[in-house]
Amino acid sequence: MRGFEEPLNELPAFDSITPERKTMSHYHAVVWIDHSEARIMHISTDDVEKSIVHPANPHQHLQHKRGSVSGAREPEDQNFYHEVVEALGSTQEILVVGPGQAKLNLIKHMHAHDHDVENRVVGVETVDHPGDGQLVNFARKYFVAKDQMIAQ
């Protein structure tokens, strides 16, 4: 797992977060997701727009089905993943991060239902539970490093 040592005061553009705006026009976005929420940050050099998506049953743990011989899990909340995809809008480059399996389940959902959005995912990383400022800082560094690798 990646650590977040960056202090929040190193994010001069973070003061301009606009919560819950519906029209997103940023080129980059980062999604931090677990089974209880998804935080979507649309990022530009001088602005950040934040949305939060919650599943219908946010405190439901995905336990093995009682009496199941196969050990199958309860089904994932596909509406939750669909709402996350909708919140990404027309963002061109997407970084998906999170501490557990939800990030991979989001990718599986995109693969099955939203190929266009799946094609815009440029990375999937395991991260713990960063604050908003730390998440934005991590994403900005990630996108800069990715762009430098492509330019070579």
Side-chain angles (χ1 to χ4, degrees), residues 33-152:
I33 188 168
D34 68 7
H35 290 290
S36 64
E37 76 173 5
R39 289 183 288 151
I40 300 102
M41 306 285 194
H42 290 81
I43 303 168
S44 67
T45 55
D46 60 352
D47 186 39
V48 176
E49 294 179 5
K50 175 183 176 181
S51 346
I52 298 176
V53 176
H54 293 280
N57 298 311
H59 299 293
Q60 170 187 347
H61 292 287
L62 299 177
Q63 302 293 333
H64 292 283
K65 288 183 182 176
R66 187 175 274 181
S68 171
V69 177
S70 67
R73 297 182 77 138
E74 292 292 329
E76 293 286 332
D77 182 354
Q78 293 301 314
N79 289 329
F80 172 53
Y81 296 120
H82 180 70
E83 288 180 27
V84 172
V85 168
E86 282 186 345
L88 289 167
S90 61
T91 303
Q92 294 302 302
E93 291 189 348
I94 302 163
L95 173 61
V96 179
V97 301
Q101 291 295 315
K103 64 186 174 294
L104 301 177
N105 293 332
L106 175 61
I107 298 298
K108 288 178 188 176
H109 173 87
M110 289 176 183
H111 182 73
H113 304 286
D114 298 290
H115 296 290
D116 178 53
V117 179
E118 178 191 23
N119 292 335
R120 293 184 271 145
V121 173
V122 296
V124 178
E125 296 284 335
T126 299
V127 298
D128 199 9
H129 291 79
D132 290 346
Q134 293 166 324
L135 181 59
V136 169
N137 201 20
F138 176 79
R140 283 186 172 147
K141 287 181 178 182
Y142 185 93
F143 288 121
V144 167
K146 181 198 115 352
D147 290 345
Q148 288 174 346
M149 286 177 39
I150 290 175
Q152 293 180 354

